[in-house]
């Protein structure tokens, strides 16, 4: 793992000066920071907080925390304190909180001042702030959101429910502004090349906002917000041409770098076992082979020799320029399938489910195999056996099949939907971890060595959140006790968030 960020351009340096100052609580008092700038210059750092491509940020946030979602395994032990053994150091635990706050708010308030808090630039900034902070809230629970002001980061927390309500309101407002601008200014794309997601296409940004509302509403249990976004004239992401995909541009795809060059991640046994059991045609797009086979590595082994163990397992199969998903059309369809199961909308859950699978196959370039895959009523996820490093076997209990089972009832069909959504959302690890905690699906192999010191007593349920960092507890000490009241439990990795499935 590298320790120094590479600054690739003067524009990037300016953005990072705003987004990453030395002191978390004084981000807007840096005497060398740009105090007024074109929002298009400030926006790239904000956008990247939706799915980090900068190598260190990606590793410390999306890869390490994302390990908990069953896509990857950390194939480096570093100093012996890791998320996958439930004993991450305080500094590592702080990164998924502090880095997005720095990258978002310094730029956000500059844009707010530049635009007087209105217009299309401010709408994009508000949308990004909402989407990035949802990722933070999904990791920690209550966070400061509605009360954060320019220069005032250490403020009272919103409850997790309030965070979601405020995020949804911000997304809805932004979607309306961007849709109106796009329809009234056809062909204009003010952000242009500074927009690593959509090249400045505001119609797609408005669809992205509605899709995020659907994701947030399903997580928080808000039928009204879900239906409103689904029925909105702005639309949602329902074709692969509208997918929100992060372009690494001059930076190398961070998963390719961490897997192939650093040897720090391998693909997780859980997703490989599921896809092996299903003979999933996307395997060749997701994973490399070892000796002609796809072999996943079990997570959470406390000690091993990286140089000896790593080469025995499959790596990610991204190349240097591969884009990374932030939101894809397949997820929309799986959300709609679940909404039908819950009675939130009318329609056929089976149709939405199968459309989700087909869209994912199309996205990954294996669409010709979709029909046979969807019709497969026999295959089940594989167990983990004959581990090449001698790690323990894991006999998987679930028998969830691919072909829609009309007799499976709500819970059986929900497992089908979430399982296929999990496969389709690769490699969005934080989202996968969130959905696993919310629904209990898919069946992830528990970590091998639980080093939480008794904090996490049920290994099969794993980590339920990240704890607040020492910085937050000490620098925001006036409001920290209130955060614990809102959390409703101790500040440990074993406390469930309000939307999580309880045992």
């Amino acid at each position: 793992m590298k320790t120094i960020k590479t600054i690739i351009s003067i524009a990037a340096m300016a953005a990072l000066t705003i987004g990453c100052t030395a002191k978390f609580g004084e981000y807007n008092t840096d005497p060398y920071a740009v105090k007024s700038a074109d929002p298009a210059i400030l926006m790239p750092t904000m956008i990247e907080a939706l799915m980090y491509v900068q190598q260190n940020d990606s590793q410390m946030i999306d890869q390490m925390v994302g390990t908990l979602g069953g896509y990857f395994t950390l194939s480096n032990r570093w100093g012996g304190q890791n998320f996958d053994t439930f004993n991450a150091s305080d500094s590592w635990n702080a990164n998924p909180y502090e880095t997005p706050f720095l990258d978002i708010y310094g730029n956000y308030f500059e844009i707010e001042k530049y635009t007087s808090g209105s217009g299309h630039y401010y709408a994009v900034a508000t949308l990004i702030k909402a989407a990035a902070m949802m990722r933070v809230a999904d990791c920690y629970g209550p966070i400061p959101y509605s009360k954060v002001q320019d220069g005032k980061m250490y403020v009272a927390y919103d409850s997790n429910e309030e965070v979601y309500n405020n995020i949804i309101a911000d997304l809805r407002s932004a979607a309306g502004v961007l849709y109106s601008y796009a329809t009234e200014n056809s062909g204009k794309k003010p952000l242009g090349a500074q927009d690593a997601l959509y090249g400045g296409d505001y119609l797609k940004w408005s669809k992205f906002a509605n899709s995020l509302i659907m994701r947030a509403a399903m997580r928080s249990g808000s039928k009204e917000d879900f239906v409103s976004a689904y029925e909105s004239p702005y639309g949602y992401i329902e074709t692969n041409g509208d997918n929100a995909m992060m372009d690494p541009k001059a930076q190398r795809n961070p998963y390719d770098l961490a897997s192939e060059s650093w040897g720090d991640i391998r693909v997780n046994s859980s997703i490989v076992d599921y896809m092996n059991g299903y003979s999933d045609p996307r395997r060749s797009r997701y994973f490399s082979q070892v000796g002609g086979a796809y072999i996943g590595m079990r997570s959470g082994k406390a000690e091993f020799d990286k140089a000896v163990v790593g080469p025995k397992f499959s790596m990610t199969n991204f190349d240097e320029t591969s884009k990374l998903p932030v939101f894809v059309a397949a997820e929309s369809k799986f959300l709609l399938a679940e909404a039908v199961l819950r009675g939130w909308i009318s329609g056929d859950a089976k149709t939405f489910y199968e459309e989700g699978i087909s869209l994912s196959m199309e996205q990954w370039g294996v669409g010709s195999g979709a029909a046979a895959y969807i019709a497969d009523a026999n295959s089940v996820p594989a167990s983990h056996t004959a581990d090449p490093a001698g790690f323990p076997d894991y006999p998987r209990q679930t028998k969830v099949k691919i072909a829609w089972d009309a007799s499976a009832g709500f819970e059986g069909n929900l497992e089908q939907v979430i399982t296929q959504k999990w496969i389709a959302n690769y490699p969005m690890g934080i989202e996968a971890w969130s959905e696993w905690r919310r629904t209990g699906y898919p069946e992830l192999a528990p970590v091998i060595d639980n080093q939480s010191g008794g904090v996490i007593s049920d290994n099969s349920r794993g980590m339920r959140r990240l704890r607040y960092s020492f910085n937050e507890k000490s620098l925001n000490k006036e409001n920290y006790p209130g955060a614990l009241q809102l959390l409703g439990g101790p500040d440990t990795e074993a406390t469930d968030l309000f939307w999580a499935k309880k045992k």
Side-chain angles (χ1 to χ4, degrees):
M1 178 177 66
K2 304 295 184 185
T3 58
I4 301 175
K5 294 185 178 182
T6 301
I7 307 301
I8 61 174
S9 69
I10 297 299
M13 184 178 293
L16 286 169
T17 300
I18 294 295
C20 298
T21 59
K23 295 183 179 180
F24 182 47
E26 300 174 5
Y27 70 93
N28 71 327
T29 62
D30 182 352
Y32 302 102
V34 178
K35 293 302 180 183
S36 181
D38 184 340
I41 296 176
L42 304 178
M43 210 72 78
T45 298
M46 293 186 69
I47 292 173
E48 190 173 323
L50 303 180
M51 169 62 79
Y52 281 104
V53 293
Q54 196 280 334
Q55 57 193 31
N56 292 339
D57 291 338
S58 174
Q59 184 171 54
M60 298 301 297
I61 300 173
D62 286 293
Q63 295 173 33
M64 287 187 173
V65 180
T67 300
L68 302 171
Y71 290 149
F72 305 108
T73 297
L74 302 177
S75 50
N76 191 343
R77 293 296 78 187
W78 293 285
Q81 290 184 285
N82 296 284
F83 287 104
D84 64 357
T85 48
F86 306 156
N87 67 332
S89 68
D90 185 76
S91 61
W92 283 19
N93 188 75
N95 278 291
Y97 189 100
E98 295 182 0
T99 301
F101 266 84
L102 288 168
D103 289 345
I104 291 297
Y105 280 108
N107 295 291
Y108 174 78
F109 287 122
E110 288 299 312
I111 293 171
E112 183 179 56
K113 286 185 286 187
Y114 185 93
T115 63
S116 298
S118 64
H120 60 93
Y121 281 133
Y122 182 65
V124 175
T126 299
L127 191 165
I128 297 168
K129 178 196 72 170
M133 289 302 111
M134 185 164 74
R135 283 166 33 106
V136 177
D138 286 345
C139 290
Y140 294 90
I143 61 170
Y145 187 83
S146 65
K147 299 176 181 63
V148 175
Q149 301 176 38
D150 191 6
K152 295 182 179 179
M153 300 288 284
Y154 297 114
V155 297
Y157 294 65
D158 291 359
S159 71
N160 212 189
E161 296 96 325
E162 290 171 336
V163 172
Y164 268 90
N165 290 338
N166 289 320
I167 282 173
I168 288 171
D170 280 346
L171 290 170
R172 184 180 295 116
S173 173
V177 172
L178 296 175
Y179 181 83
S180 296
Y181 181 93
T183 54
E184 294 168 7
N185 299 273
S186 179
K188 289 187 178 181
K189 298 180 179 180
L191 284 177
Q194 300 297 328
D195 177 1
L197 282 187
Y198 287 128
D201 189 333
Y202 284 169
L203 284 178
K204 291 185 177 181
W205 274 98
S206 62
K207 292 180 181 180
F208 176 44
N210 266 341
S211 300
L212 288 171
I213 291 173
M214 290 163 60
R215 177 191 280 180
M218 184 60 71
R219 187 106 81 241
S220 62
S222 177
K223 174 183 176 180
E224 180 180 358
D225 288 321
F226 187 97
V227 173
S228 176
Y230 172 52
E231 296 179 345
S232 168
Y234 314 147
Y236 58 90
I237 297 173
E238 56 181 326
T239 68
N240 285 321
D242 290 336
N243 288 350
M245 303 291 291
M246 186 70 71
D247 189 345
K249 295 190 175 182
Q251 304 183 72
R252 181 177 174 182
N253 179 289
Y255 291 87
D256 173 62
L257 182 64
S259 186
E260 185 173 347
S261 294
W262 300 346
D264 286 349
I265 59 170
R266 290 294 183 265
V267 290
N268 191 287
S269 64
S270 288
I271 190 161
V272 174
D273 292 344
Y274 266 81
M275 294 179 75
N276 277 343
Y278 291 153
S279 299
D280 196 305
R282 290 166 288 190
R283 286 177 298 172
S284 62
R285 304 298 197 267
Y286 286 14
F287 321 128
S288 67
Q289 290 191 339
V290 179
Y294 303 106
I295 305 174
M297 182 176 176
R298 281 203 62 186
S299 191
K301 180 70 173 174
E303 296 181 4
F304 55 81
D305 186 331
K306 167 184 171 178
V308 172
V309 168
K312 299 177 185 292
F313 298 99
S314 294
M315 298 185 293
T316 65
N317 203 27
F318 297 111
D319 60 34
E320 293 185 7
T321 60
S322 295
K323 295 181 179 181
L324 291 172
V326 178
F327 200 107
V328 296
E331 181 179 349
S332 295
K333 297 297 183 178
F334 292 123
L335 285 166
L336 295 177
E338 182 175 351
V340 173
L341 292 178
R342 294 188 180 280
W344 288 8
I345 63 172
S346 60
D348 182 25
K350 175 178 181 290
T351 298
F352 287 134
Y353 169 80
E354 293 177 351
E355 287 175 347
I357 295 173
S358 295
L359 281 165
S360 181
M361 296 284 189
E362 176 188 272
Q363 176 192 341
W364 290 95
V366 293
S368 61
Y373 183 89
I374 289 169
D376 184 350
N378 298 307
S379 297
V380 298
S383 293
H384 187 74
T385 59
D387 189 280
F391 290 2
D393 290 348
Y394 179 69
R396 190 158 269 102
Q397 302 302 306
T398 184
K399 302 300 180 186
V400 62
K401 297 180 174 64
I402 302 167
W404 188 257
D405 184 356
S407 66
F410 173 83
E411 204 64 33
N413 286 151
L414 180 64
E415 182 178 7
Q416 289 189 289
V417 169
I418 300 301
T419 296
Q420 291 300 325
K421 179 163 72 167
W422 173 65
I423 294 172
N425 268 352
Y426 176 86
M428 292 185 278
I430 292 177
E431 180 62 20
W433 180 41
S434 298
E435 287 296 88
W436 177 71
R437 288 175 289 155
R438 179 178 73 88
T439 67
Y441 303 119
E443 180 192 332
L444 302 181
V447 304
I448 297 170
D449 296 317
N450 179 342
Q451 297 191 315
S452 69
V455 171
I456 297 173
S457 58
D458 187 342
N459 204 23
S460 66
R461 298 190 79 238
M463 283 178 58
R464 312 305 289 174
R465 61 181 289 271
L466 304 185
R467 67 185 184 276
Y468 297 118
S469 71
F470 175 79
N471 281 343
E472 185 64 15
K473 288 186 284 189
S474 60
L475 298 177
N476 200 8
K477 58 185 177 183
E478 290 184 4
N479 296 299
Y480 175 71
L484 297 188
Q485 289 184 335
L486 295 173
L487 182 62
D491 182 13
T492 71
E493 294 89 342
T495 298
D496 272 315
L497 304 185
F498 83 96
W499 44 258
K501 182 175 183 178
K502 309 302 188 289
K503 187 172 180 180

